[in-house]
Amino acid sequence: MTDSAKPTRKRDGRLREDLIDAGVALLRDRGADGMSLRECAAIAGVSHASPGYHFGNLKGLKTAIAARAFRLFGDFMLEFLAKADSAPKSQILAISEGYLAFAESHKELFLFMFSGQELDQTDPDLSAMSERAYQILRDTCAPFVKPDSDPETVEILVWSLVHGYAQLMITGKISKASPGGKVPAYKFLLDHLDLCPRG
Amino acid sequence: MTDSAKPTRKRDGRLREDLIDAGVALLRDRGADGMSLRECAAIAGVSHASPGYHFGNLKGLKTAIAARAFRLFGDFMLEFLAKADSAPKSQILAISEGYLAFAESHKELFLFMFSGQELDQTDPDLSAMSERAYQILRDTCAPFVKPDSDPETVEILVWSLVHGYAQLMITGKISKASPGGKVPAYKFLLDHLDLCPRG
DNA sequence: TCCATAACTTGACACCGTCAAGATACGAAA
DNA sequence: TTTCGTATCTTGACGGTGTCAAGTTATGGA
């Protein structure tokens, strides 16, 4: 027997991923308001009520899309981390570069994730992927946390700066990029944070 | 004759404000997805197509709501500025307190403004009100801009920190408030910014 | 008095999310 | 091999939504 209640019919569970793919594509092409269960169904080539079966409701599909987005988001940061040297400051810069690269190359997803959409915050996939992303930040900030200090302070400092920069960047409010592009501009900002690794 | 094409009929232009009021109320009570042209019309006591006449389409109403929100947002910052002493650092803290007070007391509006909603960015009201809000930040940051430096650097630093903090605060991601509440916690963060007023 | 027009209504249309009910196909059981 | 249970998907319906066209009403000016 199969070892669990895994889907066994028709598309063998492939449809769920296809529907998320369709949702991501619609999000990219038409924005959050242009995505609908029925349009996703049409793109995936199934009937209009099929997404409802798999995701319960629109909120369910949006939650699945957000989970996928957070996974990709974490992947970006890990990828840049792996390419950087191990000095704490370099690592901070690396996750920031990953953060900004994701925001720029997946603008719609980035806005969607942080736009206060109605999502099912109890969904295990979504919470696992967003926890994972936050843990990457937490780990990278750890060397800067002073022994008897709250880790949250450093985390909020770094997160706020990079997130704010990303938001201003993708909404076009950062007009004049520094010579050398946006990452050098961000690095310049980062130098204004009072951060020093302990020990 | 009247001096322009000002509204002269029936509700004498009061309806437009009533519809925005209704939209703000719906936004507060049911979130962005719970607001509709038809529901606003019902609350204001007019027919379902009346909002379309005044705002063109849903995007138009959302734009008008965002403009109102930015005005209120600026008012908050100005109010806190007026109560603070004139030392540059105190002024920075004051607009930050206004920023955080607005985010906390008008959470739905705050999320709406910065959620990448489809808004008509060419709308004169919206751009005037968001420009005004940004100008308050700009003016307050001015004393910290070094003579041959880009003002944007300080502005992005301050804005990112307070905006990131606000976002984390209202989405419940800042768990343990410092003793004394959230503003002292923010002030503690602010001290980690490498800011010093020029001569 | 008449008229142009702003302000609003009515009615229609396509699209949407959601639900109930039916169809289908496959693994397991006999 | 036949039967059966169930996961998967379809069909059809419902009320709600944005938007448009056309009609109505009221008012200030000619």
Short mmCIF file of all heavy atoms in Angstrom, two decimals, chain C residues 15-27:
data_model
loop_
_atom_site.label_atom_id
_atom_site.label_comp_id
_atom_site.label_asym_id
_atom_site.label_seq_id
_atom_site.Cartn_x
_atom_site.Cartn_y
_atom_site.Cartn_z
P DC C 15 -16.79 37.47 -19.19
OP1 DC C 15 -15.61 37.74 -20.03
OP2 DC C 15 -17.63 36.27 -19.38
"O5'" DC C 15 -16.30 37.42 -17.67
"C5'" DC C 15 -15.63 38.55 -17.12
"C4'" DC C 15 -15.75 38.50 -15.61
"O4'" DC C 15 -17.14 38.63 -15.24
"C3'" DC C 15 -15.29 37.17 -14.98
"O3'" DC C 15 -14.04 37.38 -14.31
"C2'" DC C 15 -16.40 36.82 -13.99
"C1'" DC C 15 -17.27 38.07 -13.95
N1 DC C 15 -18.71 37.81 -13.68
C2 DC C 15 -19.26 38.25 -12.45
O2 DC C 15 -18.53 38.83 -11.64
N3 DC C 15 -20.56 38.00 -12.19
C4 DC C 15 -21.31 37.37 -13.09
N4 DC C 15 -22.60 37.17 -12.79
C5 DC C 15 -20.78 36.92 -14.34
C6 DC C 15 -19.48 37.16 -14.59
P DC C 16 -13.23 36.17 -13.70
OP1 DC C 16 -11.81 36.56 -13.68
OP2 DC C 16 -13.66 34.92 -14.37
"O5'" DC C 16 -13.74 36.13 -12.20
"C5'" DC C 16 -13.54 37.27 -11.37
"C4'" DC C 16 -14.33 37.09 -10.09
"O4'" DC C 16 -15.73 37.15 -10.40
"C3'" DC C 16 -14.14 35.74 -9.43
"O3'" DC C 16 -13.07 35.80 -8.51
"C2'" DC C 16 -15.48 35.51 -8.72
"C1'" DC C 16 -16.44 36.49 -9.37
N1 DC C 16 -17.65 35.86 -9.98
C2 DC C 16 -18.82 35.76 -9.23
O2 DC C 16 -18.83 36.19 -8.07
N3 DC C 16 -19.91 35.19 -9.80
C4 DC C 16 -19.85 34.74 -11.06
N4 DC C 16 -20.93 34.20 -11.59
C5 DC C 16 -18.66 34.84 -11.83
C6 DC C 16 -17.58 35.39 -11.26
P DG C 17 -12.58 34.45 -7.83
OP1 DG C 17 -11.25 34.73 -7.26
OP2 DG C 17 -12.74 33.35 -8.80
"O5'" DG C 17 -13.63 34.22 -6.65
"C5'" DG C 17 -13.64 35.13 -5.57
"C4'" DG C 17 -14.58 34.65 -4.48
"O4'" DG C 17 -15.90 34.51 -5.03
"C3'" DG C 17 -14.23 33.29 -3.88
"O3'" DG C 17 -14.53 33.32 -2.49
"C2'" DG C 17 -15.12 32.32 -4.67
"C1'" DG C 17 -16.36 33.17 -4.92
N9 DG C 17 -17.04 32.83 -6.17
C8 DG C 17 -16.47 32.64 -7.40
N7 DG C 17 -17.33 32.36 -8.34
C5 DG C 17 -18.56 32.37 -7.70
C6 DG C 17 -19.86 32.13 -8.20
O6 DG C 17 -20.20 31.86 -9.36
N1 DG C 17 -20.82 32.23 -7.20
C2 DG C 17 -20.56 32.54 -5.88
N2 DG C 17 -21.62 32.60 -5.07
N3 DG C 17 -19.34 32.76 -5.40
C4 DG C 17 -18.40 32.66 -6.35
P DT C 18 -14.20 32.08 -1.57
OP1 DT C 18 -14.02 32.57 -0.19
OP2 DT C 18 -13.15 31.29 -2.23
"O5'" DT C 18 -15.56 31.25 -1.61
"C5'" DT C 18 -16.77 31.87 -1.17
"C4'" DT C 18 -17.94 30.94 -1.38
"O4'" DT C 18 -18.28 30.87 -2.79
"C3'" DT C 18 -17.71 29.49 -0.92
"O3'" DT C 18 -18.64 29.20 0.10
"C2'" DT C 18 -17.94 28.65 -2.18
"C1'" DT C 18 -18.78 29.59 -3.04
N1 DT C 18 -18.69 29.36 -4.51
C2 DT C 18 -19.85 29.20 -5.23
O2 DT C 18 -20.95 29.22 -4.72
N3 DT C 18 -19.67 29.00 -6.58
C4 DT C 18 -18.47 28.95 -7.25
O4 DT C 18 -18.43 28.77 -8.47
C5 DT C 18 -17.29 29.14 -6.44
C7 DT C 18 -15.93 29.10 -7.08
C6 DT C 18 -17.46 29.32 -5.12
P DC C 19 -18.37 27.97 1.10
OP1 DC C 19 -18.60 28.50 2.46
OP2 DC C 19 -17.11 27.30 0.76
"O5'" DC C 19 -19.58 26.99 0.73
"C5'" DC C 19 -20.90 27.51 0.68
"C4'" DC C 19 -21.75 26.68 -0.27
"O4'" DC C 19 -21.29 26.88 -1.62
"C3'" DC C 19 -21.70 25.17 -0.03
"O3'" DC C 19 -22.96 24.73 0.43
"C2'" DC C 19 -21.32 24.58 -1.39
"C1'" DC C 19 -21.63 25.72 -2.35
N1 DC C 19 -20.81 25.69 -3.59
C2 DC C 19 -21.45 25.66 -4.84
O2 DC C 19 -22.68 25.62 -4.88
N3 DC C 19 -20.70 25.63 -5.96
C4 DC C 19 -19.37 25.66 -5.88
N4 DC C 19 -18.67 25.65 -7.02
C5 DC C 19 -18.70 25.72 -4.61
C6 DC C 19 -19.45 25.73 -3.51
P DA C 20 -23.08 23.26 1.10
OP1 DA C 20 -23.86 23.44 2.34
OP2 DA C 20 -21.77 22.60 1.12
"O5'" DA C 20 -23.99 22.50 0.03
"C5'" DA C 20 -25.09 23.19 -0.56
"C4'" DA C 20 -25.62 22.40 -1.74
"O4'" DA C 20 -24.77 22.65 -2.90
"C3'" DA C 20 -25.64 20.89 -1.54
"O3'" DA C 20 -26.83 20.36 -2.10
"C2'" DA C 20 -24.39 20.42 -2.30
"C1'" DA C 20 -24.34 21.42 -3.44
N9 DA C 20 -23.00 21.64 -4.00
C8 DA C 20 -21.82 21.80 -3.30
N7 DA C 20 -20.77 21.99 -4.06
C5 DA C 20 -21.29 21.96 -5.35
C6 DA C 20 -20.69 22.09 -6.62
N6 DA C 20 -19.38 22.31 -6.79
N1 DA C 20 -21.50 22.00 -7.71
C2 DA C 20 -22.80 21.79 -7.52
N3 DA C 20 -23.48 21.65 -6.38
C4 DA C 20 -22.65 21.74 -5.32
P DA C 21 -27.28 18.83 -1.79
OP1 DA C 21 -28.71 18.86 -1.41
OP2 DA C 21 -26.28 18.23 -0.88
"O5'" DA C 21 -27.14 18.11 -3.20
"C5'" DA C 21 -27.67 18.76 -4.36
"C4'" DA C 21 -27.00 18.18 -5.59
"O4'" DA C 21 -25.66 18.72 -5.69
"C3'" DA C 21 -26.86 16.66 -5.57
"O3'" DA C 21 -27.61 16.09 -6.62
"C2'" DA C 21 -25.35 16.41 -5.72
"C1'" DA C 21 -24.84 17.73 -6.26
N9 DA C 21 -23.46 18.02 -5.89
C8 DA C 21 -22.92 18.05 -4.63
N7 DA C 21 -21.65 18.33 -4.59
C5 DA C 21 -21.31 18.50 -5.94
C6 DA C 21 -20.10 18.83 -6.57
N6 DA C 21 -18.95 19.04 -5.91
N1 DA C 21 -20.11 18.93 -7.91
C2 DA C 21 -21.26 18.71 -8.56
N3 DA C 21 -22.47 18.41 -8.08
C4 DA C 21 -22.42 18.33 -6.74
P DG C 22 -27.67 14.49 -6.82
OP1 DG C 22 -29.04 14.16 -7.25
OP2 DG C 22 -27.04 13.85 -5.64
"O5'" DG C 22 -26.70 14.27 -8.08
"C5'" DG C 22 -26.89 15.05 -9.26
"C4'" DG C 22 -25.66 14.95 -10.13
"O4'" DG C 22 -24.53 15.52 -9.42
"C3'" DG C 22 -25.26 13.51 -10.50
"O3'" DG C 22 -25.15 13.40 -11.91
"C2'" DG C 22 -23.90 13.32 -9.83
"C1'" DG C 22 -23.39 14.73 -9.70
N9 DG C 22 -22.44 14.93 -8.60
C8 DG C 22 -22.69 14.84 -7.25
N7 DG C 22 -21.64 15.07 -6.51
C5 DG C 22 -20.62 15.32 -7.43
C6 DG C 22 -19.25 15.62 -7.21
O6 DG C 22 -18.66 15.73 -6.14
N1 DG C 22 -18.57 15.79 -8.42
C2 DG C 22 -19.14 15.68 -9.67
N2 DG C 22 -18.33 15.87 -10.70
N3 DG C 22 -20.42 15.41 -9.88
C4 DG C 22 -21.10 15.24 -8.72
P DA C 23 -25.01 11.91 -12.57
OP1 DA C 23 -25.83 11.91 -13.80
OP2 DA C 23 -25.21 10.90 -11.53
"O5'" DA C 23 -23.48 11.87 -13.02
"C5'" DA C 23 -23.04 12.78 -14.02
"C4'" DA C 23 -21.52 12.72 -14.12
"O4'" DA C 23 -20.96 13.07 -12.84
"C3'" DA C 23 -20.96 11.33 -14.48
"O3'" DA C 23 -20.03 11.49 -15.53
"C2'" DA C 23 -20.31 10.85 -13.19
"C1'" DA C 23 -19.91 12.17 -12.54
N9 DA C 23 -19.80 12.15 -11.08
C8 DA C 23 -20.80 11.89 -10.17
N7 DA C 23 -20.41 11.95 -8.92
C5 DA C 23 -19.07 12.28 -9.01
C6 DA C 23 -18.08 12.49 -8.02
N6 DA C 23 -18.30 12.40 -6.72
N1 DA C 23 -16.83 12.79 -8.45
C2 DA C 23 -16.61 12.88 -9.77
N3 DA C 23 -17.45 12.71 -10.79
C4 DA C 23 -18.67 12.40 -10.33
P DT C 24 -19.59 10.22 -16.41
OP1 DT C 24 -19.61 10.67 -17.80
OP2 DT C 24 -20.38 9.05 -15.97
"O5'" DT C 24 -18.08 9.98 -15.97
"C5'" DT C 24 -17.29 11.10 -15.66
"C4'" DT C 24 -16.01 10.66 -14.95
"O4'" DT C 24 -16.16 10.75 -13.52
"C3'" DT C 24 -15.59 9.21 -15.23
"O3'" DT C 24 -14.22 9.20 -15.48
"C2'" DT C 24 -15.93 8.50 -13.94
"C1'" DT C 24 -15.60 9.61 -12.95
N1 DT C 24 -16.18 9.46 -11.58
C2 DT C 24 -15.37 9.71 -10.49
O2 DT C 24 -14.22 10.04 -10.59
N3 DT C 24 -15.99 9.56 -9.27
C4 DT C 24 -17.31 9.17 -9.05
O4 DT C 24 -17.75 9.07 -7.92
C5 DT C 24 -18.09 8.93 -10.23
C7 DT C 24 -19.52 8.53 -10.10
C6 DT C 24 -17.50 9.09 -11.44
P DA C 25 -13.60 8.15 -16.56
OP1 DA C 25 -13.38 8.83 -17.85
OP2 DA C 25 -14.38 6.89 -16.49
"O5'" DA C 25 -12.18 7.88 -15.89
"C5'" DA C 25 -11.61 8.90 -15.09
"C4'" DA C 25 -10.98 8.30 -13.83
"O4'" DA C 25 -11.97 8.18 -12.79
"C3'" DA C 25 -10.41 6.89 -14.02
"O3'" DA C 25 -9.18 6.83 -13.34
"C2'" DA C 25 -11.44 6.00 -13.33
"C1'" DA C 25 -11.82 6.92 -12.18
N9 DA C 25 -13.08 6.60 -11.51
C8 DA C 25 -14.25 6.18 -12.09
N7 DA C 25 -15.22 5.99 -11.23
C5 DA C 25 -14.65 6.29 -10.00
C6 DA C 25 -15.16 6.29 -8.70
N6 DA C 25 -16.41 5.95 -8.39
N1 DA C 25 -14.32 6.65 -7.70
C2 DA C 25 -13.07 6.99 -8.01
N3 DA C 25 -12.49 7.04 -9.20
C4 DA C 25 -13.33 6.67 -10.16
P DC C 26 -7.90 6.25 -14.10
OP1 DC C 26 -7.05 7.38 -14.48
OP2 DC C 26 -8.36 5.26 -15.12
"O5'" DC C 26 -7.15 5.43 -12.96
"C5'" DC C 26 -6.75 6.15 -11.80
"C4'" DC C 26 -7.17 5.42 -10.56
"O4'" DC C 26 -8.59 5.28 -10.49
"C3'" DC C 26 -6.65 3.98 -10.44
"O3'" DC C 26 -5.59 3.98 -9.51
"C2'" DC C 26 -7.86 3.18 -9.93
"C1'" DC C 26 -8.85 4.27 -9.54
N1 DC C 26 -10.27 3.88 -9.62
C2 DC C 26 -11.03 3.89 -8.43
O2 DC C 26 -10.50 4.21 -7.36
N3 DC C 26 -12.35 3.55 -8.49
C4 DC C 26 -12.90 3.21 -9.66
N4 DC C 26 -14.20 2.89 -9.66
C5 DC C 26 -12.13 3.19 -10.87
C6 DC C 26 -10.85 3.54 -10.80
P DG C 27 -4.58 2.73 -9.41
OP1 DG C 27 -3.21 3.22 -9.66
OP2 DG C 27 -5.13 1.60 -10.21
"O5'" DG C 27 -4.71 2.36 -7.86
"C5'" DG C 27 -4.64 3.40 -6.90
"C4'" DG C 27 -5.14 2.89 -5.56
"O4'" DG C 27 -6.59 2.75 -5.62
"C3'" DG C 27 -4.60 1.53 -5.16
"O3'" DG C 27 -4.31 1.53 -3.76
"C2'" DG C 27 -5.71 0.56 -5.53
"C1'" DG C 27 -6.97 1.41 -5.37
N9 DG C 27 -8.03 1.08 -6.32
C8 DG C 27 -7.89 0.91 -7.67
N7 DG C 27 -9.02 0.65 -8.28
C5 DG C 27 -9.97 0.64 -7.26
C6 DG C 27 -11.36 0.40 -7.33
O6 DG C 27 -12.06 0.15 -8.31
N1 DG C 27 -11.94 0.49 -6.06
C2 DG C 27 -11.27 0.77 -4.91
N2 DG C 27 -12.01 0.81 -3.80
N3 DG C 27 -9.96 0.99 -4.84
C4 DG C 27 -9.37 0.91 -6.05
#
